[in-house]
Amino acid sequence: MAGKLFGIGVGPGDPELLTVKAINAIKQLDVIIAPKTEKKDGSVALNIASQYIKPETEIVYQVFPMTVGFAEDDTAWQSNKQEILELLQAGKNVGFLTLGDPMFYSTYIYVFRLLQHEAVEIETIPGIPAFCAIGSATNTPIVEGDSILSIIPANMPEDRVRSALKTCDNAVLMKVYKNSDAVIDMLAEEGLAKQAVLASRCGLDDEVIIRDISGEKGRKLNYLSTILTRR
């Protein structure tokens, strides 16, 4: 009998923010897939979930190239897919851990698409996205009343970021680490800088909260950095 694949959101960083359902799923896994990039050792998602993992659970690290999709070269993705399939066909329950929520800007989405048409059972377990945790940690309302929330990946071309900021009531800016200076300038131009709060590694031991984002110009931000703002 084939095993089951679980896509598990482990939340933003604090192990206590995993859902009960996520913890229960982790405890029944035979194998955990821990995604990592080519440049870094270890897995943040695995570290967050570590206290809930059984000692006998096998940990399999898989490298996923940080590219937009995988149309040009899917060699690594296909290799990872095959490894997961073999584990499932061996009757093992396999969990794929992901930061935040599995269906929100996640590597898991691509893994799910590769496997969804195979003869395997898949269950996706939601997690708390970082921006929700940041709102609570800083007592910052994310959106209320009849306002509209825009979620903006700040690594898009600047003209698209600028266009999104011009029309938003409230905004969450993800992936601000690559072009933070330009993002801070755009927020100032649109009158969105003074109300902004920036959080890096929210929920982790080295969490940083910044309420004056203008002072962050010229500084390198952590990959796990997000800005909340509103008009």
Side-chain angles (χ1 to χ4, degrees):
M1 182 177 177
K4 182 176 180 179
L5 175 67
F6 294 85
I8 303 174
V10 301
D14 184 346
E16 292 186 354
L17 291 180
L18 270 77
T19 65
V20 173
K21 189 165 188 176
I23 293 169
N24 288 339
I26 288 169
K27 289 179 177 178
Q28 64 178 291
L29 297 176
D30 301 302
V31 181
I32 286 177
I33 302 296
K36 57 179 289 189
T37 68
E38 294 164 296
K39 297 179 181 179
K40 295 182 180 180
D41 294 327
S43 163
V44 177
L46 180 65
N47 291 340
I48 293 168
S50 60
Q51 69 189 68
Y52 307 113
I53 300 171
K54 297 181 299 183
E56 63 269 26
T57 302
E58 180 185 357
I59 308 298
V60 174
Y61 289 95
Q62 288 190 340
V63 174
F64 291 90
M66 297 184 72
T67 58
V68 180
F70 43 83
E72 293 182 8
D73 183 2
D74 67 349
T75 305
W77 294 88
Q78 291 295 339
S79 176
N80 291 339
K81 169 190 172 180
Q82 187 58 38
E83 185 174 28
I84 294 171
L85 272 177
E86 289 173 1
L87 291 166
L88 292 169
Q89 289 163 356
K92 296 181 179 180
N93 289 325
V94 179
F96 189 99
L97 302 184
T98 180
L99 290 171
D101 182 85
M103 291 299 185
F104 186 83
Y105 290 124
S106 168
T107 300
Y108 170 76
I109 295 171
Y110 302 110
V111 174
F112 171 79
R113 286 176 175 160
L114 286 169
L115 291 166
Q116 66 178 324
H117 300 300
E118 302 290 338
V120 296
E121 183 179 1
I122 302 175
E123 180 178 351
T124 304
I125 299 174
I128 297 174
F131 70 88
C132 291
I134 293 167
S136 295
T138 62
N139 290 319
T140 302
I142 297 170
V143 67
E144 58 187 301
D146 58 358
S147 296
I148 296 172
L149 175 67
S150 298
I151 299 176
I152 305 167
N155 59 343
M156 295 190 302
E158 285 187 20
D159 59 329
R160 293 190 64 196
V161 177
R162 195 181 303 276
S163 177
L165 290 175
K166 285 183 180 296
T167 59
C168 74
D169 298 321
N170 300 55
V172 172
L173 289 107
M174 315 281 295
K175 307 176 183 179
V176 298
Y177 68 101
K178 280 191 174 180
N179 57 342
S180 56
D181 283 6
V183 170
I184 291 168
D185 285 341
M186 285 187 277
L187 288 172
E189 291 166 12
E190 294 300 324
L192 294 165
K194 289 184 178 180
Q195 308 87 279
V197 58
L198 184 154
S200 293
R201 297 178 66 81
C202 182
L204 296 166
D205 292 340
D206 53 351
E207 169 187 287
V208 176
I209 304 293
I210 304 294
R211 295 186 181 274
D212 179 10
I213 64 171
S214 63
E216 296 309 294
K217 285 193 65 176
R219 299 182 184 178
K220 183 176 177 61
L221 296 183
N222 184 269
Y223 169 70
L224 299 175
S225 296
T226 299
I227 293 174
L228 307 185
T229 190
R230 61 191 297 153
R231 294 200 184 277

